[in-house]
Amino acid sequence: MSPAPRIGAAPAPEPAYDDDPAYDGMPAAAPGTDGALALARRRPSSGPPGADPDERGLRRLGQALAEVLAGRRPPESVSDRLTSRAYRDLVQAGQMIWSDRRPFAGRMHVKEPRDGALEMCVLVHCGDRDRVLALRLERRGVQWLCTDFETA
């Protein structure tokens, strides 16, 4: 029989490298874009009122808007999440997504082009053909409201 392995003291761990206040654990942000929907590398986090909305809340909003644009949900159900102009555009748009089944909000990209504004792009699965839904949200007081949307 071979002797039992020797167990020694573990070496002291190295200090954390994230003690720099400028480092938030995410890679450096890509430079901003002008006139295009930019895609993000970092996710918004949840927090106190007025903080960036969390990923789950953004996905629910994308899902609800996709259902409205597919004619499967009344526009009134999202009226509290849109500005009056965006709500008017939504009602005028009517059904823009044609599908035999309920749309499903899939992959999502979020970018914060400036403080108090988010741009979001959601891949909407709706049968044979997937669609894309782009939203712009702005902070109004402590609430985030969708100010504009597009679908293709």
Side-chain angles (χ1 to χ4, degrees), residues 37-109:
L37 178 67
L39 303 179
R41 293 185 184 170
R42 70 171 213 195
R43 286 185 243 160
S45 60
S46 60
D52 289 345
D54 64 350
E55 183 177 349
R56 183 178 292 169
L58 291 173
R59 186 175 307 280
R60 280 194 306 251
L61 178 60
Q63 176 70 37
L65 281 173
E67 290 174 6
V68 170
L69 292 169
R72 302 207 177 238
R73 176 188 284 237
E76 300 83 33
S77 64
V78 292
S79 64
D80 62 330
R81 305 294 303 167
L82 283 82
T83 61
S84 58
R85 186 181 68 80
Y87 179 71
R88 186 175 56 247
D89 291 346
L90 181 66
V91 171
Q92 288 175 350
Q95 186 171 356
M96 296 179 74
I97 297 176
W98 302 95
S99 175
D100 294 337
R101 66 183 182 110
R102 181 175 166 243
F104 173 74
R107 192 168 184 174
M108 184 173 76
H109 297 279

